[in-house]
Structure formats: structure tokens, C-alpha cells
Amino acid sequence: MPLQEHNYWLTTTDFPKAEPRALPDRVDVAVIGAGFTGLSAARTLAKRGAKVAVLERETIGWGASSRNGGMVLTGMKLGVNQLISMYGRERTQSMYATTLATIDCVEQIVREETIDCNFSRSGHLEVACKQKHFDDYARQAEVIAREFNHRLRVVQKNELNAEIGSQVYYGGMVDEVSAGLNPARYVAGLGRAAIKAGAEIFEHTRVEGLQRESSQGESGWKLTTSRGALWAREVFVGTSGYTGKATPALQKRLIPIGSFIITTEILPEALARELSPRNRMIYDSKNYLYYYRLTPDRRMLFGGRAAFFPENDQTIRRSAEILRRGMIDVYPQLRDAKVEYVWGGTLDFAFDIMPHAGQIDGMYYAVGYAGHGVAMATYQGQKMAELIAGDKPENPFVGIPFPGAPLGLYNGKPWFLPFAGMWYKFLDWVN
Ligand SMILES: Cc1cc2nc3c(=O)[nH]c(=O)nc-3n(C[C@H](O)[C@H](O)[C@H](O)COP(=O)(O)OP(=O)(O)OC[C@H]3O[C@@H](n4cnc5c(N)ncnc54)[C@H](O)[C@@H]3O)c2cc1C
């Protein structure tokens, strides 16, 4: 099959079709964005009896939620010591425990809603690109065991072939708690679950503006959309890397970053087993990292930030070749494997590379997953919905400082991305 610029995951599932109907005049909660964050929130809110409208400018799952690697990962992007210095020991412990709970949350939803998405606790493997990265693994594992009572297993280079059929790494570290799934099937299932719970989803409905407005003596919001206006008592924003000018306070706190993926043709069983004997979710230790795994039908899925800019025809096409070369560096065995699909998506980084949730300008939000969003977005959607419904759920990511750009030099247009890309490449070279 010739290379297709198309998301392979979309070939594996159907999406629920939200019935085209007029927007309601009033709802309890308007949710912006129909990805993991918005749909998880909508499901929880609707189950609690709230009248919920999910407003999605494209279609259910159109954003990063159907385009990602399907790695359901423990931990956060920042190292433990840095987290402790930023938030103190107690909050960091609570954050780490939360990252473990996020995976249980996905597993529970998959089970409760019988979502057929190949969820499996196959564990993740981080591989070291340099000796000094590997030397740091033992120290990291020791700190994580001591501070968070969570076990990681360091794998020496001479034992690494039990984990990965590649000779290029200096060793690895395994976390058995992480999982893998098919993200398109999962987000489609979440959409069905939200609809079943009573939430209404409005596709092709772009939110263009929000303003405070009282209605029938209650304070709330008037939302202007591409399909008319509606009033909502509360607003919850789950727009992640696609956050736009309708919510400027969030837009200027988030950097949209492109990430790209290729998948090969279906591989022979023996070759697939050689490449990834334990079917791990794998990523390397670089800043400009590669992440990869086998798909349930035995393709190699290989992703990375081949271009820093969000996806467009040019960045997608260029990424296919860059990623194929990267894949062959890791796995020379794949030199003759055909690459059948390439696609891209946009993820969101906050300036402190942390997830953030809470209220801004009076509206609720959860964003900033930095490539760790499958589990965290699902979890934050649920916890923020519980908060909106009047509970007081424990959520250590609410209330932490949410910085904007240094010196305020950013209005949501990431002019600095080429420099950031070069900077990360430079860091990988020197570190
Ligand atoms: C290529 C790639 C690989 C990734 N791999 C992984 C991985 O393996 N593991 C992991 O944990 N994470 C991964 N991520 C990150 C993860 O996919 C995201 O963090 C997660 O999907 C975010 O979900 P979300 O619901 O918050 O946002 P999204 O799924 O991006 O949804 C946001 C939605 O908001 C809609 N929207 C935006 N503005 C408006 C508006 N004004 N009006 C109406 N609708 C609007 C968009 O159309 C979009 O559908 C990856 C991301 C990418 C792009």
C-alpha cells in the first residue's frame, strides 16, 4: 500500500455520530472540546444529572485524543527532584499518586462502559540514549521507591534484549503499571458513554466568544458559537493543544507543539516479537524524543517531534521521512518494512511543563498534559466535573501557579518554536 497521509487509528473504528440538532437555549454546563478531557467531564456531569452540551468545532475525538500513541503512562514530564523543589514533598507525593490513579481511572471507565479499545497493562520502557542518562536511572528509581513507594526496574544493557530488539541503547527502566490502548477506539467509546449518560454533543460547533451574562436571575455565561448562542451556568474548557482565541487567558499560557507518527505495514509475528518481546510502550531519554510501540495488529507505530510546528501538509510529509530514518536507526530490521500511514497532531505544553486545572476568568479548565494526556486528561475531566457538581475531590494539580510566558512575551502565536526546537536539539547534543 502506498504511504497515506492519514491517521491509522481511524481505520480501526467508527465514531458515534452526534445527531445534528439545534443548540439548546440553556444548559447547566457547556463543555468546550470533545476529546478525552471534555467527554470524560461530560460523562461524569451527565451521570450526576446535569444538563450538558459538549461543543466541538470539528467532530468527536478529532483533536489529539484520536491521534496519539495510545500510551497510558505513569509519572510526569519533570523529574522528581525538580517537582519536589517546585511544590514540596507532600504535594509532589500526592501528584505522583495521582498519576497512578489516572491509569486506574481509564481502566475503570473502559470496564464500566465496555469500551473495546485493547486496553492492556503492558508496562512502559524508557531507554537511555547516553551512558549518563542510564546512570541516572538507578538514582531515579531509588528516589521514586523512597518518596512514592512505587517500583521501577532498571534494566542493564546486557539484559535489554529481553525488552527490546535494538542495540542502540545503554540500558532501560521499566514501569509495569503503565498501559497501552487504541486511542481512537477509546475516545469513540468515551463519546458513546457521554451520550448514553445523557450529554448532548454538538459537532461542527465552534465556540467563538464567551461573556458573563445573567439569565433568569442566575449568573452564568453566554457562549457565541458558529451555530448560534446558548447560555450556560458553568463553562468547562478542554481544548488542549487546539485552544484558540475564544479563551485568550488559556491560549497565552499554552504552547501548541506538533507531534507526528508513522506506522508500518503489518509485521510478521516473529519480527514483531523480536522488536518488542513484552509489547511495551517505549520512549527514549532525549528531550527531542522518539516514542514507539506495536499496534494490536502488529504494526510498528513510531512517533516523535519530527517538526516542532503543528501539523500541516508540509510538516506531515517531511515527518514521514524523518521518522522512518529514526525508526531504522533504532531498528535496522525494519529497513524494508513499508511505512503505510503518517499523521500529526498538536499537544499542549504549559510554560512549566505541568498539567493545570482549576478556574480562570471564572471558567473551569483542564489543560497542559505535555504528551501525557491519555490518562491525565480522562482523570482531570472526571475530577473537574466532580468539582463543578459541588464535590471537593482531591486534585493536587488545582491551585498550583499557572505561569504565562517569561516577561509576558507571548500572545498565543508561538513565534519562538523554531528556536525552541533548535534549543532542544542542542540540549540533546550536550547532555
Ligand atoms: C501525535 C501525538 C501523540 C501523543 N501520544 C500520547 C501518548 O502516547 N500518551 C499520552 O498520554 N498522550 C499522548 N499525546 C497527548 C494526548 O493525546 C493529549 O494530551 C490528549 O488527547 C488531550 O486531550 P484533550 O481532550 O484535552 O484535547 P484534544 O483531544 O486535543 O481535544 C480538544 C478539542 O477541542 C476542540 N476545540 C478547540 N477549540 C474549540 C472551540 N473554540 N470550539 C469548539 N471546539 C474546540 C478541538 O477541535 C479538539 O477536538 C499525544 C498527542 C499527539 C498529538
Side-chain angles (χ1 to χ4, degrees):
M1 190 175 99
L3 175 67
Q4 301 208 25
E5 287 175 30
H6 184 66
N7 174 355
Y8 152 75
W9 294 121
L10 296 181
T11 67
T12 65
T13 190
D14 293 325
F15 277 77
K17 278 274 153 276
E19 293 193 8
R21 54 169 98 86
L23 289 179
D25 291 336
R26 288 170 67 88
V27 292
D28 295 319
V29 186
V31 173
I32 311 179
F36 299 141
T37 305
L39 294 171
S40 168
R43 169 181 175 269
T44 304
L45 283 161
K47 280 185 168 218
R48 300 283 296 257
K51 184 170 164 58
V52 183
V54 182
L55 309 168
E56 165 56 54
R57 73 175 201 207
E58 305 289 342
T59 50
I60 292 170
W62 174 89
S65 297
S66 64
R67 301 164 187 246
N68 60 73
M71 304 189 176
V72 193
L73 302 172
T74 57
M76 284 165 282
K77 291 294 276 188
L78 296 182
V80 175
N81 287 338
Q82 194 175 354
L83 288 167
I84 292 176
S85 72
M86 285 163 75
Y87 303 111
R89 176 160 274 112
E90 209 175 309
R91 192 183 277 252
T92 303
Q93 283 172 339
S94 167
M95 285 174 171
Y96 200 88
T98 299
T99 76
L100 304 181
T102 62
I103 301 177
D104 297 339
C105 171
V106 172
E107 186 168 33
Q108 194 184 352
I109 292 176
V110 167
R111 199 173 332 113
E112 271 176 28
E113 305 290 352
T114 52
I115 302 176
D116 178 12
C117 63
N118 311 98
F119 179 91
S120 150
R121 292 265 186 177
S122 43
H124 84 242
L125 168 71
E126 179 176 341
V127 279
C129 296
K130 294 188 177 178
Q131 183 61 42
K132 66 177 166 189
H133 297 174
F134 179 71
D135 295 342
D136 202 41
Y137 284 171
R139 195 192 52 77
Q140 278 182 46
E142 190 266 314
V143 175
I144 287 171
R146 189 183 65 229
E147 298 291 343
F148 311 134
N149 197 22
H150 182 67
R151 303 274 150 207
L152 301 176
R153 184 165 54 81
V154 174
V155 186
Q156 300 293 330
K157 186 173 173 61
N158 62 4
E159 296 164 348
L160 202 57
N161 60 358
E163 292 286 342
I164 182 171
S166 172
Q167 305 304 317
V168 298
Y169 298 113
Y170 290 81
M173 186 159 63
V174 169
D175 189 332
E176 302 281 355
V177 174
S178 293
L181 53 64
N182 173 328
R185 285 184 171 205
Y186 175 51
V187 74
L190 259 187
R192 277 186 202 101
I195 293 168
K196 191 178 86 192
E200 288 193 290
I201 304 179
F202 297 89
E203 296 180 314
H204 306 293
T205 306
R206 176 200 295 267
V207 175
E208 290 168 347
L210 292 133
Q211 66 192 72
R212 278 285 190 195
E213 193 173 285
S214 296
S215 164
Q216 299 172 9
E218 280 186 286
S219 67
W221 296 88
K222 181 181 174 193
L223 291 96
T224 318
T225 82
S226 51
R227 292 185 50 222
L230 78 162
W231 183 88
R233 196 172 290 121
E234 303 291 357
V235 169
F236 175 62
V237 188
T239 49
S240 193
Y242 299 90
T243 300
K245 55 182 190 290
T247 51
L250 284 175
Q251 188 186 23
K252 68 179 188 213
R253 285 177 167 78
L254 295 171
I255 313 169
I257 302 253
S259 190
F260 300 84
I261 292 180
I262 54 174
T263 53
T264 64
E265 62 190 334
I266 295 172
L267 302 173
E269 216 171 317
L271 175 58
R273 207 175 319 114
E274 177 192 328
L275 301 177
S276 181
R278 301 203 170 144
N279 206 11
R280 303 285 192 206
M281 305 294 115
I282 307 175
Y283 57 87
D284 72 32
S285 60
K286 296 194 301 292
N287 288 303
Y288 219 89
L289 57 78
Y290 291 134
Y291 52 92
Y292 46 100
R293 58 170 288 186
L294 294 170
T295 61
D297 66 351
R298 287 198 323 269
R299 296 165 190 273
M300 175 53 64
L301 176 153
F302 198 90
R305 255 159 248 148
F308 243 74
F309 278 114
E311 69 278 14
N312 60 40
D313 287 354
Q314 273 182 8
T315 52
I316 291 176
R317 216 166 304 125
R318 244 191 6 235
S319 298
E321 191 42 39
I322 294 172
L323 289 173
R324 198 183 79 88
R325 270 188 265 130
M327 179 178 77
I328 292 168
D329 286 347
V330 175
Y331 289 126
Q333 307 92 311
L334 290 177
R335 182 164 290 115
D336 298 325
K338 282 200 190 68
V339 173
E340 293 196 337
Y341 295 94
V342 57
W343 70 96
T346 304
L347 35 93
D348 60 336
F349 278 70
F351 282 87
D352 58 1
I353 321 184
M354 288 295 292
H356 291 275
Q359 270 186 293
I360 198 160
D361 295 344
M363 63 187 89
Y364 293 91
Y365 68 89
V367 292
Y369 307 116
H372 266 51
V374 177
M376 188 57 87
T378 306
Y379 181 87
Q380 288 300 346
Q382 188 180 89
K383 291 294 149 193
M384 292 308 292
E386 290 170 3
L387 185 69
I388 295 168
D391 296 350
K392 291 194 171 56
E394 210 184 302
N395 187 347
F397 297 97
V398 170
I400 58 173
F402 191 174
L407 305 174
L409 280 174
Y410 179 52
N411 60 3
K413 290 202 177 63
W415 51 267
F416 45 78
L417 280 188
F419 308 107
M422 282 189 280
W423 176 242
Y424 277 120
K425 281 187 173 154
F426 174 72
L427 287 180
D428 283 330
W429 184 57
V430 294
N431 280 317

